[in-house]
Amino acid sequence: MNDPSTPGAEDNGEERGQEPELSQGDATIDLPDFMRSISQTTAWINSINETVEPMRRHIRDQESARRTIESVMGPGNALYQTVRDTQRQYRSLVEPVLALQSDLSDIFDWHSHIADVISSFSIPRTLLNQLADSAALFLPGNLIGLDADDLDMLLDLGEEDGLSLAWAPRTEIVNALLLLGTRAERYAFLADRRDDVLDDVDGSLQLVTHPALTGMAAILGAATRTARNGSDEGAQALAGNVLETAMKNYGNAWIRCSFPQVAYPQGPGHHRTIGSLLDTPNYWGNLTLPQFAPYLVAAGMRNAFAPGDTQDTFNRHLGVHQASPDTYRPEFALPAILLAHALLRALNQGLERPDDTQDNA
């Protein structure tokens, strides 16, 4: 349920499709303008930091030189006096600039607060338009330009067709899929555009740079090559193994960390983790903007890890434990590759790194 104290939230129990307003008092928050303002201000502060860093580095170098000369020759040495005088003159010139930069950093400490600001906004369906307008900040690049109805439909296609269309394929193909009425039509269209879909996956995998994921990305690249060679069964098997490995090693923990409000069951089971998220009543109304892409990826994986003895979409469990022409179908190869690819891209953003950098492409 939404918290009534949250701006724009309504405790009305409505599910995805309802449209509460986002406002604070009588003023409507223009989220895209707000986010652009944050982005521009952050870029400005970063540029100032980059400008003054050489000054700080030069001061440190001067201080190091002064201490070295003092320790070797003593403070009364003429060279020491020259270095100290030069250091004082330089400081008198640059310290006003450094003081200004420090004050600005204190005032605009955006890096530590932006995430809290963003997370205060929930995204019931009325905010999908706002999300689309702020796409560069929150959406995979191939989904930029889609409107609220398109984004809403993507979630449905993920669960119904077992498709994760985040980061690949290209926007043109995503738009075409959204216009088709049945799963069979969508699978057939993907097959017709097989080479383009595989090209897009291969290009996107180049951005998977986290050390824990590059090996799996390489195996998924082997799956795309296998698909190009016409061996759909081999491609499906490789992609399914990458999907399973990624979920087992990192995916479950990533979902639980990305959506901490959900009550997850104890014990193993990818389908239990995914189902707990997707089946939480009214949880859609409590999603925050950064959670949309992870939610989209999780929605696509529901069928892949669903229990049961039969399936109409790719199912990783049946492919491993009940291998047959029914569980390995030509139309399952590309969905399996897209699922594994989307999870790797999501993990590439979500996992911590030694250098604390993230992929935002």
Side-chain angles (χ1 to χ4, degrees):
M1 303 289 288
N2 290 332
D3 184 352
S5 66
T6 300
E10 295 180 0
D11 189 12
N12 55 12
E14 294 176 338
E15 297 181 354
R16 181 157 55 94
Q18 310 312 43
E19 300 190 356
E21 293 296 325
L22 178 67
S23 61
Q24 185 166 357
D26 295 328
T28 299
I29 298 173
D30 190 336
L31 184 58
D33 285 347
F34 175 68
M35 294 310 305
R36 278 191 290 271
S37 176
I38 288 180
S39 179
Q40 291 167 358
T41 304
T42 302
W44 178 55
I45 295 298
N46 287 340
S47 68
I48 292 176
N49 290 338
E50 292 173 0
T51 299
V52 303
E53 179 54 30
M55 300 179 187
R56 295 185 183 279
R57 187 165 54 249
H58 191 53
I59 289 176
R60 292 194 296 267
D61 291 342
Q62 288 180 330
E63 179 63 17
S64 177
R66 184 192 65 78
R67 289 178 178 176
T68 300
I69 293 171
E70 181 180 16
S71 65
V72 174
M73 300 181 180
N77 184 273
L79 179 59
Y80 171 83
Q81 295 294 335
T82 300
V83 171
R84 189 179 65 174
D85 290 343
T86 301
Q87 185 181 26
R88 287 174 175 172
Q89 291 172 2
Y90 186 78
R91 279 183 175 274
S92 68
L93 293 173
V94 303
E95 281 188 342
V97 178
L98 297 178
L100 175 61
Q101 182 267 340
S102 179
D103 290 342
L104 289 173
S105 295
D106 290 340
I107 295 171
F108 300 110
D109 189 14
W110 296 106
H111 293 288
S112 62
H113 297 300
I114 285 177
D116 293 338
V117 172
I118 293 172
S119 296
S120 69
F121 294 98
S122 295
I123 53 170
R125 189 178 179 283
T126 190
L127 286 189
L128 284 174
N129 272 324
Q130 299 275 33
L131 175 63
D133 290 341
S134 303
L137 292 168
F138 303 111
L139 287 180
N142 67 321
L143 304 184
I144 293 176
L146 273 61
D147 63 20
D149 290 336
D150 295 332
L151 295 173
D152 193 44
M153 188 178 297
L154 281 179
L155 292 166
D156 292 334
L157 292 187
E159 292 199 56
E160 294 172 6
D161 293 359
L163 289 175
S164 279
L165 301 177
W167 294 285
R170 65 196 65 179
T171 308
E172 169 205 343
I173 295 177
V174 173
N175 282 329
L177 289 170
L178 293 173
L179 295 176
L180 299 175
T182 67
R183 178 190 302 155
E185 291 175 324
R186 288 185 284 271
Y187 277 11
F189 182 79
L190 285 174
D192 289 341
R193 299 295 299 271
R194 168 187 290 253
D195 288 342
D196 290 332
V197 172
L198 295 174
D199 286 346
D200 295 340
V201 170
D202 284 337
S204 179
L205 286 175
Q206 299 303 308
L207 299 176
V208 177
T209 57
H210 193 287
L213 305 174
T214 53
M216 286 182 279
I219 297 301
L220 191 57
T224 66
R225 293 193 298 273
T226 303
R228 292 181 193 276
N229 292 332
S231 179
D232 292 322
E233 297 88 350
Q236 179 183 327
L238 286 169
N241 286 336
V242 170
L243 185 66
E244 166 65 23
T245 303
M247 274 298 294
K248 180 179 179 181
N249 291 349
Y250 307 106
N252 283 289
W254 165 72
I255 290 175
R256 291 169 185 251
C257 181
S258 298
F259 306 97
Q261 301 93 330
V262 174
Y264 296 100
Q266 297 293 324
H270 308 329
H271 68 279
R272 298 172 68 193
T273 299
I274 295 169
S276 296
L277 169 63
L278 301 181
D279 295 334
T280 297
N282 304 312
Y283 187 72
W284 164 257
N286 293 318
L287 286 179
T288 60
L289 290 169
Q291 289 177 324
F292 180 82
Y295 194 89
L296 182 62
V297 174
M301 293 192 296
R302 183 201 282 272
N303 287 359
F305 293 109
D309 296 327
T310 60
Q311 92 287 340
D312 294 319
T313 62
F314 164 70
N315 185 284
R316 200 273 334 163
H317 179 81
L318 293 179
V320 171
H321 298 287
Q322 297 186 30
S324 71
D326 184 57
T327 57
Y328 281 86
R329 306 181 196 176
E331 63 266 28
F332 290 169
L334 289 180
I337 288 172
L338 288 169
L339 284 172
H341 155 265
L343 180 58
L344 291 182
R345 284 298 306 268
L347 291 175
N348 193 62
Q349 288 188 332
L351 294 182
E352 293 184 359
R353 299 170 182 261
D355 59 357
D356 196 31
T357 59
Q358 291 186 343
D359 162 35
N360 294 316

